[in-house]
Amino acid sequence: MESKISIFITCLVFAAAFQLLLPVSEASLKVGYYKSKCKKAESIVKSTVRNFIVKNPGLVAGVIRMFFHDCFVRCEMDICKVVVNVDLRKSRLDGRVSNGSEALQLLPPPSFNLTQLEASFARNGLSTAEMVTLSGAHSIGRSHCSSFTSRLYPTIDPTMNQGFGSSLRKLCPQNAAVDGVVPQDFVSPNKLDEQYYKNVESLTALFFSDWSLLTSSETQKQVDTYTKVPGAFKVDFANAMIKMGSISDALAGSSGEVRGPTCRAVN
Ligand code: HEM
Ligand SMILES: *[C@@H]1O[C@H](CO)[C@@H](O)[C@H](O)[C@H]1NC(C)=O
Ligand SMILES: *[C@@H]1O[C@H](CO)[C@@H](O)[C@H](O)[C@H]1NC(C)=O
């Protein structure tokens, strides 16, 4: 019984709680949606998520990444204010479809160059500038070695700082039995900040896609601005997250459902 309750609470956190980032244009999703239905819902969700995050700060990166993936695949998730401090609308329902190969097709891989990244984001109504801004999420969280080892072997990619490449080789040996994990940002791994853009400039970001932001003068300028103008990244990032949350019609109303205790699966 107790475990059922804790599973349910976890589900609440992961389903209802990822509330937030929602589009101003979306009439059916509202900030304060739960006020009439369940007065305390938002504050319960918020403090619950906060408690989880205090115990495991790595969750923030996972939640932000999940939000990105969700928006590019089916856009069913909200995100919690605890994670990114922007005011979001709520009332999304859970989707009825889950399709792994669809996700693979719709998400940009780390091998993408600038043209390919622009196309992927444009298909989702996001500009090149917003793509540059959202890539700043790679200032937190981690990556598996397998996501970038093609840049380390057989030779260190000339688009990567060679010293950085040698260090990564030690952390990610070739043919290792286990796929290792490294931080995205070695300087301030748990801080969502503009350090990512400094890493991009010094060729010490993990992915080819990160380096690609230097390959047009327009995107290169934006990267440079973020490294120099304090606070510029944060403002843009909050706005771009809200925009990303509006990619497709959320499942408010009748097209979704509220999942039961096994919230990983459709009812
Ligand atoms: C521009 C295109 C993007 C590409 C090619 C890309 C690719 C990747 C890859 C390969 C990883 C590592 C996965 C692993 O090996 O475990 C990763 C991690 C991550 N990505 Fe992206 N990503 C992109 C954009 C974004 C955006 C827009 C966001 C959110 C706004 C985001 C947030 C994250 C976060 C937070 C992590 C760390 C996750 C964790 O620590 O669990 N990424 N990304
Ligand atoms: C999943 O998506 C792929 C690619 O769009 C599609 O071909 C396939 O039929 C889908 N599978 C299911 C079970 O909907
Ligand atoms: C990116 O790759 C595509 C496909 O290989 C290619 O057509 C395009 O010219 C490349 N763009 C850049 C900026 O390298």
Side-chain angles (χ1 to χ4, degrees), residues 7-20:
I7 289 169
F8 180 67
I9 291 173
T10 309
C11 286
L12 248 174
V13 172
F14 282 85
F18 290 146
Q19 305 274 357
L20 266 71

Side-chain angles (χ1 to χ4, degrees), residues 30-75:
K30 300 185 186 71
V31 172
Y33 171 81
Y34 292 112
K35 274 222 173 87
S36 58
K37 314 209 173 236
C38 173
K39 260 196 159 73
K40 291 193 173 151
E42 288 180 22
S43 65
I44 291 171
V45 160
K46 223 167 155 177
S47 66
T48 310
V49 172
R50 185 171 287 137
N51 289 342
F52 272 90
I53 286 170
V54 167
K55 282 186 214 139
N56 182 0
L59 274 181
V60 175
V63 169
I64 290 178
R65 180 156 195 251
M66 210 192 299
F67 182 71
F68 162 52
H69 289 193
D70 186 67
C71 290
F72 271 48
V73 179
R74 283 184 175 268
C75 215

